[in-house]
């Protein structure tokens, strides 16, 4: 019988190493983070700016409430925190409207599984509207690029690069240049000085 | 046929999440040259000291009076001064207050009929 290799737990950086890793973030990395923060802040209420999102993410690293794995680059890690902050915001919002349903299931004889919490997965109307507006705003970014819009639609379906090329009939070169154009448009939007 | 029933709103949200993740990866993977080119399109040069590209990163998006004047420190100083004034006033009041000593002989009880 083949032996299943034991999973090696990811090594985490110590607080001092985390601070050092933050110190090593370059100016270009800061611009990358700004663009990512602007991307994620788009679907949040107007009083939450991209800078709030980024600062909160950096604060969480500094405070140590989020442990940084050794093999994850700092930019990717902070981007992940911003993504989860955004989810957290909408979860809080749903809870505020009593949208989370909690079902209690008392199963006799299994005390550890006594309470089963089921959450309603359907988004609140506000969340659905924000998602709709966000999708429209992203599509507007690539409005003058039909190839990019097709790629975007495929990305929304969770397709891989290979699958997208098959579906859209793009050659590898065309696909790569379209992705490059998309990146440029995203960066242009991400580096702008507009508040949101 | 789909095995799970999901609402249209939930599907839209799922689509948005996937798109955002893909675009986030694009931005993480963007090279320094691509960033510089995009900044150039906007008329910025991030290599310059104080470039507008760093608005909100290295310096605030909008300047507020607090960035020039130390309002917080002034407020704390004013509050401290007020506390001193109040405590001094309370001390002097205590000092000037006449001491009332109850003397039972000066206030005889009314005789009950």
């Amino acid at each position: 019988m083949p032996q299943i290799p034991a999973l090696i737990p990811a090594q985490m950086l110590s607080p001092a190493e985390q601070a050092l890793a933050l110190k090593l973030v370059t100016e270009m990395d800061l611009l990358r983070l700004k663009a990512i923060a602007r991307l994620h802040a788009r679907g949040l209420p107007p009083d939450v700016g991209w800078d709030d999102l980024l600062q909160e993410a950096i604060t969480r690293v500094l405070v140590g409430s989020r442990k940084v794995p050794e093999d994850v680059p700092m930019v990717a890690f902070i981007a992940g925190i911003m993504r989860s902050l955004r989810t957290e915001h909408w979860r809080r919002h749903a809870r505020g409207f009593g949208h989370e349903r909690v079902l209690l299931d008392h199963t006799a004889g299994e005390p550890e599984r006594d309470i089963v919490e089921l959450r309603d997965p359907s988004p609140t109307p506000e969340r659905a509207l924000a998602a709709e507006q966000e999708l429209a705003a992203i599509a507007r970014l690539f409005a003058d690029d039909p190839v990019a819009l097709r790629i975007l639609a495929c990305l929304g379906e969770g397709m891989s690069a290979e699958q997208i090329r098959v579906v859209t009939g793009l050659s590898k070169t065309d696909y790569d240049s379209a992705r490059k154009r998309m990146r440029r448009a995203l960066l242009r939007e991400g580096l702008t000085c507009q508040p949101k | 046929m789909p095995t799970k029933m999901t609402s249209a709103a939930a599907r839209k949200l799922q689509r948005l999440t996937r798109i955002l993740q893909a675009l986030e990866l694009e931005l993480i993977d963007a090279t320094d040259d691509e960033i510089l080119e995009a900044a150039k399109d906007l008329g910025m040069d991030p290599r310059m000291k104080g470039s507008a590209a760093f608005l909100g990163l290295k310096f605030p998006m909008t300047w507020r009076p607090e960035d020039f004047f130390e309002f917080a420190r002034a407020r704390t100083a004013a509050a401290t001064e007020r506390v001193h004034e109040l405590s001094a006033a309370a001390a002097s009041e205590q000092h000037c207050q006449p001491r009332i000593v109850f003397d039972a002989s000066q206030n005889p009880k009314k005789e009950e009929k």
Side-chain angles (χ1 to χ4, degrees):
Chain A
M1 194 175 165
Q3 276 201 338
I4 301 163
L7 284 173
I8 303 163
Q11 290 288 315
M12 298 294 177
L13 295 182
S14 68
E17 286 169 332
Q18 269 181 216
L20 183 68
L22 263 181
K23 221 173 179 179
L24 292 177
V25 167
T26 63
E27 287 190 337
M28 289 298 150
D29 286 339
L30 278 180
L31 293 179
R32 270 184 202 98
L33 286 171
K34 179 182 175 178
I36 296 166
R38 285 184 69 92
L39 182 73
H40 286 306
R42 199 192 290 274
L44 293 175
D47 58 324
V48 184
W50 64 267
D51 45 343
D52 298 319
L53 200 64
L54 181 56
Q55 280 170 23
E56 181 61 31
I58 292 174
T59 306
R60 291 200 180 192
V61 176
L62 281 173
V63 167
S65 61
R66 301 288 180 113
K67 296 283 171 214
V68 187
E70 238 178 30
D71 53 347
V72 177
M74 190 47 94
V75 174
F77 186 73
I78 295 174
I81 299 179
M82 286 194 278
R83 202 187 320 131
S84 73
L85 282 174
R86 184 191 145 92
T87 314
E88 199 179 291
H89 166 83
W90 283 112
R91 196 175 296 143
R92 259 202 321 269
H93 170 85
R95 210 175 289 144
F97 281 93
H99 200 70
E100 272 188 338
R101 278 204 299 254
V102 178
L103 296 180
L104 300 179
D105 175 21
H106 296 275
T107 316
E110 286 183 69
E112 70 275 10
R113 300 176 81 189
D114 197 16
I115 296 168
V116 178
E117 195 176 303
L118 295 177
R119 287 193 174 133
D120 188 354
S122 60
T124 58
E126 282 78 14
R127 178 76 187 103
L129 180 68
E132 178 91 48
Q133 288 172 344
E134 227 178 322
L135 280 170
I138 292 171
R140 267 200 304 276
L141 272 180
F142 310 107
D144 55 349
D145 193 344
V147 180
L149 285 176
R150 271 156 66 200
I151 292 176
L152 207 63
C154 294
L155 286 174
E157 297 305 317
M159 291 184 194
S160 66
E162 193 63 41
Q163 286 170 325
I164 295 173
R165 284 217 316 269
V166 171
V167 169
T168 55
L170 290 169
S171 69
K172 194 177 181 310
T173 321
D174 289 343
Y175 176 76
D176 287 344
S177 59
R179 288 297 283 252
K180 200 174 173 185
R181 284 199 304 276
M182 287 171 77
R183 207 153 45 224
R184 180 103 170 228
L186 270 178
L187 282 168
R188 262 202 305 269
E189 208 286 324
L191 299 182
T192 180
C193 299
Q194 300 297 321
K196 206 164 187 179
Chain B
M1 208 174 145
T3 52
K4 272 185 185 173
M5 291 281 284
T6 47
S7 67
R11 275 199 303 276
K12 203 163 275 178
L13 199 61
Q14 204 175 24
R15 201 179 311 145
L16 174 69
T17 309
R18 285 179 188 144
I19 288 177
L20 283 178
Q21 272 182 4
L23 297 183
E24 185 190 295
L25 275 178
E26 288 287 341
L27 288 170
I28 291 172
D29 292 340
T31 62
D32 290 1
D33 287 339
E34 282 174 327
I35 294 172
L36 288 173
E37 277 172 26
K40 201 175 166 187
D41 289 347
L42 296 168
M44 300 174 190
D45 185 1
R47 286 168 300 192
M48 269 175 61
K49 196 181 172 186
S51 166
F54 295 105
L55 263 177
L57 288 171
K58 287 180 156 187
F59 35 87
M61 290 281 287
T62 46
W63 294 104
R64 291 163 301 178
E66 284 88 347
D67 295 319
F68 302 101
F69 306 107
E70 293 180 332
F71 285 132
R73 192 176 287 182
R75 267 198 296 271
T76 314
T80 316
E81 203 176 318
R82 184 79 186 123
V83 168
H84 285 313
E85 274 175 18
L86 287 173
S87 52
S92 65
E93 257 177 42
Q94 240 177 14
H95 190 70
C96 300
Q97 226 171 26
R99 291 184 72 189
I100 301 165
V101 180
F102 181 73
D103 189 355
S105 63
Q106 284 180 2
N107 189 17
K109 278 184 183 174
K110 284 180 185 173
E111 284 178 12
E112 286 177 9
K113 286 182 182 175

